[in-house]
Amino acid sequence: MEVKLFYRTQRDLATALNKLVDAYWEEEIEEDELIEGVKSMYENNQDKLIKNNEFTKVVQQQSGKRRLVVVERILEMK
């Protein structure tokens, strides 16, 4: 699965994160692909993903709690 480095909006970023996590849950990609994808999205789009030490409202609304738990755990592994 191809992951872009830079996303234009928070909504675009949330959609890409959703596809990545869903692909992992559907066993279409391996765990290491998920981890690398989330880390690269975070490193290049920090301002669109997290503000004031929590996920932005748009990302929260688009992604939901279950997906964001996975993303948060990956980011804590850094």
Side-chain angles (χ1 to χ4, degrees):
M1 181 170 181
E2 189 168 329
V3 176
K4 291 196 301 189
L5 287 182
F6 303 101
Y7 290 89
R8 195 165 47 100
T9 64
Q10 291 178 358
R11 194 168 306 273
D12 291 343
L13 179 61
T15 301
L17 270 174
N18 293 351
K19 287 180 183 175
L20 192 63
V21 174
D22 290 349
Y24 172 70
W25 282 340
E26 299 289 326
E27 298 180 6
E28 295 169 4
I29 62 171
E30 297 292 321
E31 192 171 286
D32 56 332
E33 283 182 80
L34 171 69
I35 292 169
E36 286 304 312
V38 169
K39 284 183 178 181
S40 75
M41 283 182 185
Y42 172 72
E43 288 169 7
N44 295 302
N45 301 280
Q46 287 183 23
D47 58 325
K48 292 182 187 81
L49 187 61
I50 295 179
K51 286 189 180 159
N52 300 327
N53 290 328
E54 61 181 44
F55 292 107
T56 60
K57 297 295 179 201
V58 172
V59 171
Q60 287 179 26
Q61 290 169 351
Q62 292 287 305
S63 297
K65 289 181 182 176
R66 289 178 57 219
R67 287 188 189 107
L68 291 180
V69 166
V70 173
V71 172
E72 189 172 24
R73 293 233 173 100
I74 291 170
L75 294 178
E76 287 172 357
M77 291 170 43
K78 270 187 132 176

